[in-house]
Amino acid sequence: MSFFERSENSTIHGGEFTGIRVEEGGTFTNFRVEKGARVRVEGSKDTGFKTLHRHVAMGAVHNSGERYDPPRCHPNTRTAVIAGIKKWIMTFPESKMFWLYGAAGAGKSAIAQVLAELCYENPDMIFIGAFFFSRTSVNEGRSNEKCLAATLTYQLLQAIPEVKTHVQTALVNDPLIFGRSAEVQFQELLFKPLLSVFPSPTHGVIQSTSLPLLIIIDGLDECESREVQCYLLETIDKMINFSDRLSLKIVVASRPEVHIRNSFDSIKTHRHIEAVDLSNDIEVHDDIRRFLMEKCHELKSNHWMRQHIPPTWPSEDSIENILVKSSSHFIYAATAMKYIQSHRHLPHKRMDVILALSPPPTNSSPFAALDTLYSHILFQVEDMDAVIRVIAIMVLPSPTAIGQEPVKLDANQRLTPAFLERLLFYSPGHLELLLTDLVSIIDMQNPAQQMRFFHASFPDYLCDQTRSGRFYVGDLLQSAHADLASGFMHYTSLKCNRPTIEIESFEKLEQSLALYNLKTYKDRILAFYTSFNFHYSRASFTKDSHPDLHEFNFASFFRQGYDPEIHKQEISLVLMPYSSFIQTLECSEVHVNEALSRNLPLYQTCIRDFLCCYDGVHRGLADALALADYKISKYTTAYTMKYIIQNLSPSVWKVIDQNGLHLGEWVELWPAHCLFAFQEHLWEVLHDPQKSGQHALDAEKRLSALVRCLHYLCINHGIELKGVQDFDLTGIFFPSEIPRSSMGISWNYDELTDSEMMDRSAFLISKIPPGSLASSKLSSILLENYPEIHES
């Protein structure tokens, strides 16, 4: 039943009327309600814009109040990147999509903000609008795609008012359009209206223009789910196809997450995409320096306590320290500067906190914003236990260098995904899958290249429990050492023909070692021994966590049926790291007695085998050991053995190396601390006849070395030493045959004074027991040569 049909100038006095509905096409004309009457009208005509406004995320717009003081580039920084994007907008009509990507904190949002501000004011283009995604925003509409089309449509209406009628038609025709897919919303509210107002062969309400139309979408990776992120890229691609004749330009900024990269790769199969990786911005280092210096200058000029700021502040070292920690990412420098420029504190004192020169005040966190970013990224990880294990390994310090070439097989410089996978017995590709959520903070794009943290400050966060909380790795480092020690142990055991795992995986590992600057296969084995010892000495493990390490026996590195006569080269290969390992056990509190009881007997056998290898080959080496004893006793230097060996004559080297000892390679490959460990244990054996047997440093050996010293003194003064026909004095320690050290150190008898040589002689004499056969021989030699020696 219809009341007031075609009524005009109607008045209602009192009563209550509800559910009044205006049918399509109907009108109320001059309808008046007097006091006391209540009328509620349903279904009044709606333009649709109220619905649009309810779905707009105003906080996502580049100039919204919610984003007051948004991240933006410091003046005169990132100029090349911004200029490159503007050039692309204006001069490449065939290219429709631009991907700006970089690690977390690289400055993507700041660049997008400045670009939006510049383009908004640029009369040479039409800035349709921007949308800044944010997971942490208080505005829920910025964390998902539900408000994206509405927000861009709202901005489109401001930029091109001519589209209003077409947008309104879409809203009225489909009042529930914001419940439909993003693809439908984009098509009906953005692209169809744009196509309606721009010229074509058949229609158009705006005169022909070549001005590009720009849309900016920042923080795509901040949208709530990976599936939606990929879907939005697919939708944008379809809309570009749908409106191909428009001069449309879409800039997308995001982290280089794997799924986003894959989506762009898929689009690239049929469309040209311009892409810029901010990690390749060669100007960013200078830009960060400019930002820091100018901000500090502002503080010195404008801070209300500027009279208390030292005139020399900030020092170059302070700026450099922050630059290093920034790792070419603006977020660290920006976070540090926000903390420093507090008006409630002195800037130079706050910088001391940043540089860890002073403790932070109570309840003050200099890197709160940065910590929030790191924690947010880590919270996205699915298998945190496995991921944190790998991260702890990356945080570890590197093994000791070998010689002059650092061998950091597990350090960030050398830690490739392929290498770590094989060392931890992962299947190929497993590590990449495991760390797929962390591509914005861990660089591992190429499996053949080193893994590294994009942010030098990230390990600081991980190792400070007050900052990282549940992601703290400090308690995991000893376990990480155990993981790597186990991997190196299995590898080395395999190479000594004592396989403990399948050989196929290590054949691949051998291929990966070609990446390292180690000269030979044997050098690589030495590097593995060093790495194993480095990690084993710092590991914490139990029988349950690492049973292989708990039961470890260095003997497992040898073949079954070990025979020193057959495996002389194996002795030289294993003895030096074995010495370092034994010293580690002696200095460690972890499983000391048990481990020593398993390993010490075999080690002492190895030393005796080592002595057997050169016994009788050339008497000069025994004399060299006796002479080295002088330095060990008097100065306890780690270099003596090294210098003694280096200064043997070439003729002696030839004989020794042919016999399989390869001492020359030891000197080049092993650092002093490893030589020192071997040296100490060797001398312990040589001074104990029960351990060394016929190889002990007895009176006869010291007499032989003494004769060499006297022989040198006599030759140096043109005197012939008599009564030494039974001693072999050829081929060693003659001034003309002693080579200069290749290590830049000259320790040879050519430079020893008579007084120094006499010191050595006196030391050797003191070690020869009176009444012994050697003492009698010495007396005879001294008496026979006394006049000449005394005269010289």
Side-chain angles (χ1 to χ4, degrees):
M1 182 175 181
S2 176
F3 291 94
F4 311 111
E5 187 172 353
R6 299 187 187 90
S7 62
E8 296 183 6
N9 301 315
S10 302
T11 302
I12 297 178
H13 298 276
E16 181 175 349
F17 295 81
T18 62
I20 296 177
R21 185 174 68 253
V22 180
E23 300 289 349
E24 185 175 354
T27 60
F28 269 140
T29 305
N30 294 329
F31 193 83
R32 187 175 55 180
V33 179
E34 294 289 345
K35 184 176 181 181
R38 295 168 59 191
V39 177
R40 185 168 72 244
V41 179
E42 296 178 357
S44 58
K45 192 171 184 180
D46 185 8
T47 62
F49 289 115
K50 289 184 179 179
T51 304
L52 172 68
H53 295 162
R54 284 198 301 269
H55 289 84
V56 170
M58 197 62 194
V61 179
H62 81 279
N63 55 2
S64 71
E66 180 186 319
R67 296 186 67 246
Y68 171 72
D69 196 20
R72 54 166 57 88
C73 301
H74 186 70
N76 299 315
T77 63
R78 314 313 289 265
T79 54
V81 174
I82 295 172
I85 301 175
K86 290 174 64 178
K87 181 179 180 181
W88 169 80
I89 294 171
M90 301 301 300
T91 59
F92 295 97
E94 73 285 353
S95 179
K96 304 289 188 179
M97 292 183 71
F98 191 106
W99 185 28
L100 178 69
Y101 65 95
K108 303 177 293 296
S109 293
I111 293 173
Q113 177 68 29
V114 171
L115 184 67
E117 293 172 355
L118 293 174
C119 295
Y120 181 75
E121 301 291 342
N122 192 338
D124 295 328
M125 67 179 70
I126 299 176
F127 179 65
I128 292 177
F131 194 98
F132 288 79
F133 281 104
S134 172
R135 272 201 188 96
T136 59
S137 171
V138 294
N139 187 334
E140 186 178 308
R142 292 183 60 191
S143 62
N144 56 57
E145 85 289 1
K146 295 176 182 178
C147 296
L148 176 60
T151 306
L152 291 176
T153 301
Y154 169 79
Q155 295 174 86
L156 172 65
L157 290 166
Q158 314 303 312
I160 309 176
E162 290 83 357
V163 303
K164 182 176 182 179
T165 301
H166 305 282
V167 172
Q168 182 177 356
T169 299
L171 292 169
V172 171
N173 289 343
D174 188 355
L176 299 179
I177 190 170
F178 294 112
R180 300 191 184 277
S181 68
E183 181 178 342
V184 171
Q185 294 180 48
F186 268 78
Q187 181 171 312
E188 298 297 328
L189 298 176
L190 285 168
F191 292 97
K192 280 186 177 181
L194 281 170
L195 288 169
S196 298
V197 300
F198 279 95
S200 73
T202 58
H203 66 281
V205 298
I206 294 181
Q207 293 183 350
S208 178
T209 177
S210 59
L211 296 182
L213 308 170
L214 177 64
I215 294 175
I216 297 174
I217 298 176
D218 176 69
L220 179 62
D221 54 279
E222 294 280 310
C223 190
E224 63 182 353
S225 72
R226 297 183 181 90
E227 292 76 17
V228 171
Q229 295 165 22
C230 296
Y231 169 65
L232 288 179
L233 288 176
E234 294 172 7
T235 298
I236 291 170
D237 181 46
K238 289 179 181 179
M239 291 304 100
I240 291 175
N241 287 334
F242 176 75
S243 56
D244 191 53
R245 63 185 174 82
L246 294 175
S247 298
L248 186 65
K249 300 282 188 173
I250 299 180
V251 175
V252 178
S254 76
R255 298 170 190 163
E257 307 290 358
V258 173
H259 58 282
I260 295 178
R261 185 182 295 277
N262 290 340
S263 292
F264 274 111
D265 287 344
S266 177
I267 297 173
K268 284 179 183 178
T269 61
H270 58 271
R271 182 184 307 287
H272 173 74
I273 296 177
E274 196 73 19
V276 167
D277 181 358
L278 289 179
S279 65
N280 296 328
D281 183 7
I282 60 176
E283 296 182 351
V284 66
H285 186 81
D286 292 336
D287 284 348
I288 296 175
R289 180 186 292 276
R290 181 182 297 110
F291 164 75
L292 291 171
M293 294 301 296
E294 291 182 4
K295 283 293 185 181
C296 289
H297 179 73
E298 288 178 14
L299 289 172
K300 291 174 71 173
S301 301
N302 303 327
H303 197 281
W304 71 284
M305 296 287 283
R306 56 187 174 275
Q307 68 272 20
H308 298 290
I309 301 176
T312 58
W313 181 83
S315 68
E316 181 61 30
D317 287 345
S318 298
I319 296 297
E320 191 62 32
N321 184 295
I322 296 177
L323 279 171
V324 170
K325 287 289 186 182
S326 295
S327 304
S328 298
H329 292 76
F330 255 97
I331 189 170
Y332 181 87
T335 302
M337 191 51 64
K338 281 184 178 180
Y339 183 79
I340 291 169
Q341 64 189 11
S342 167
H343 284 282
R344 294 175 56 85
H345 304 84
L346 290 171
H348 61 286
K349 296 293 186 182
R350 300 280 272 189
M351 182 174 281
D352 285 347
V353 174
I354 293 292
L355 301 175
L357 301 177
S358 300
T362 306
N363 299 324
S364 175
S365 177
F367 301 108
L370 193 61
D371 296 346
T372 300
L373 172 66
Y374 290 151
S375 297
H376 169 69
I377 294 172
L378 290 173
F379 270 117
Q380 311 308 312
V381 172
E382 293 183 1
D383 189 353
M384 178 49 66
D385 289 340
V387 167
I388 209 72
R389 176 193 186 201
V390 174
I391 289 177
I393 288 174
M394 292 184 66
V395 170
L396 293 179
S398 61
T400 307
I402 292 183
Q404 296 184 5
E405 173 64 23
V407 179
K408 299 180 178 180
L409 298 180
D410 63 329
N412 292 347
Q413 301 96 305
R414 305 265 185 192
L415 188 61
T416 69
F419 178 77
L420 187 56
E421 280 177 345
R422 291 156 189 166
L423 203 60
L424 298 180
F425 315 118
Y426 289 161
S427 59
H430 179 75
L431 193 62
E432 189 172 0
L433 289 173
L434 195 63
L435 300 179
T436 187
D437 297 314
L438 300 179
V439 295
S440 60
I441 53 178
I442 296 178
D443 183 6
M444 52 174 296
Q445 295 181 21
N446 189 335
Q449 292 181 352
Q450 63 197 32
M451 292 172 63
R452 67 182 183 91
F453 294 125
F454 280 118
H455 304 261
S457 61
F458 187 53
D460 297 338
Y461 159 85
L462 293 169
C463 295
D464 186 339
Q465 193 168 14
T466 62
R467 295 177 59 187
S468 53
R470 60 170 292 195
F471 305 116
Y472 175 63
V473 301
D475 295 335
L476 304 176
L477 297 184
Q478 289 182 318
S479 179
H481 278 300
D483 288 338
L484 290 185
S486 178
F488 284 119
M489 184 195 72
H490 282 291
Y491 176 85
T492 313
S493 296
L494 180 72
K495 289 304 179 183
C496 288
N497 202 26
R498 301 260 315 171
T500 56
I501 61 171
E502 297 179 0
I503 192 169
E504 288 77 7
S505 62
F506 281 120
E507 288 177 343
K508 295 178 181 178
L509 178 56
E510 184 67 23
Q511 296 172 5
S512 72
L513 288 174
L515 298 172
Y516 309 128
N517 187 21
L518 295 171
K519 294 179 292 185
T520 63
Y521 160 78
K522 185 164 75 171
D523 298 349
R524 292 197 293 270
I525 291 293
L526 295 176
F528 272 100
Y529 275 125
T530 299
S531 297
F532 164 76
N533 191 52
F534 174 83
H535 293 295
Y536 183 88
S537 65
R538 292 160 175 79
S540 175
F541 52 86
T542 65
K543 187 174 182 179
D544 293 330
S545 69
H546 294 84
D548 50 354
L549 294 181
H550 188 267
E551 301 298 328
F552 174 72
N553 191 328
F554 218 92
S556 64
F557 287 157
F558 291 95
R559 294 176 176 87
Q560 293 284 2
Y562 164 74
D563 184 346
E565 288 302 316
I566 299 175
H567 303 299
K568 291 176 180 176
Q569 186 170 350
E570 191 170 272
I571 298 175
S572 66
L573 186 66
V574 76
L575 193 53
M576 198 69 70
Y578 205 165
S579 302
S580 184
F581 173 69
I582 293 295
Q583 189 178 58
T584 296
L585 293 181
E586 291 173 338
C587 299
S588 174
E589 297 180 358
V590 181
H591 313 293
V592 175
N593 294 331
E594 187 178 352
L596 272 176
S597 65
R598 286 197 304 267
N599 288 279
L600 194 56
L602 179 67
Y603 173 62
Q604 293 174 344
T605 299
C606 286
I607 291 183
R608 287 194 296 271
D609 292 341
F610 163 77
L611 295 170
C612 287
C613 285
Y614 78 79
D615 187 43
V617 173
H618 199 290
R619 192 63 195 167
L621 187 56
D623 294 345
L625 292 174
L627 278 169
D629 192 26
Y630 167 80
K631 277 283 189 180
I632 287 294
S633 301
K634 190 170 184 180
Y635 300 113
T636 318
T637 172
Y639 296 96
T640 305
M641 183 69 177
K642 192 168 187 174
Y643 299 157
I644 287 287
I645 293 174
Q646 283 178 323
N647 287 298
L648 295 175
S649 70
S651 59
V652 176
W653 276 127
K654 183 176 181 181
V655 175
I656 294 174
D657 284 351
Q658 282 178 348
N659 199 46
L661 289 179
H662 300 279
L663 294 178
E665 296 180 19
W666 285 17
V667 171
E668 294 300 322
L669 287 173
W670 290 101
H673 80 275
C674 290
L675 287 167
F676 185 44
F678 168 68
Q679 196 170 267
E680 281 195 327
H681 292 124
L682 177 61
W683 254 255
E684 180 183 342
V685 171
L686 289 175
H687 285 84
D688 186 343
Q690 291 186 343
K691 295 179 179 179
S692 54
Q694 62 178 339
H695 310 293
L697 276 179
D698 55 18
E700 291 290 335
K701 291 185 176 65
R702 290 193 170 97
L703 175 61
S704 178
L706 173 61
V707 168
R708 288 186 180 276
C709 293
L710 297 175
H711 182 60
Y712 171 81
L713 282 169
C714 290
I715 289 180
N716 212 28
H717 290 268
I719 302 171
E720 180 182 356
L721 186 63
K722 302 173 185 177
V724 294
Q725 57 274 13
D726 294 334
F727 294 87
D728 180 8
L729 301 174
T730 60
I732 188 168
F733 297 156
F734 284 92
S736 61
E737 294 184 345
I738 299 176
R740 298 283 178 176
S741 169
S742 62
M743 304 292 286
I745 303 172
S746 297
W747 188 84
N748 59 55
Y749 289 108
D750 215 3
E751 297 179 353
L752 289 177
T753 64
D754 288 353
S755 175
E756 290 171 327
M757 186 59 79
M758 290 300 293
D759 280 346
R760 285 157 176 76
S761 301
F763 169 78
L764 291 169
I765 291 173
S766 69
K767 294 294 182 179
I768 299 176
S772 64
L773 179 60
S775 177
S776 300
K777 292 180 180 179
L778 174 60
S779 299
S780 175
I781 294 171
L782 292 177
L783 288 172
E784 187 170 353
N785 293 277
Y786 177 75
E788 290 82 0
I789 294 176
H790 183 269
E791 180 181 348
S792 64

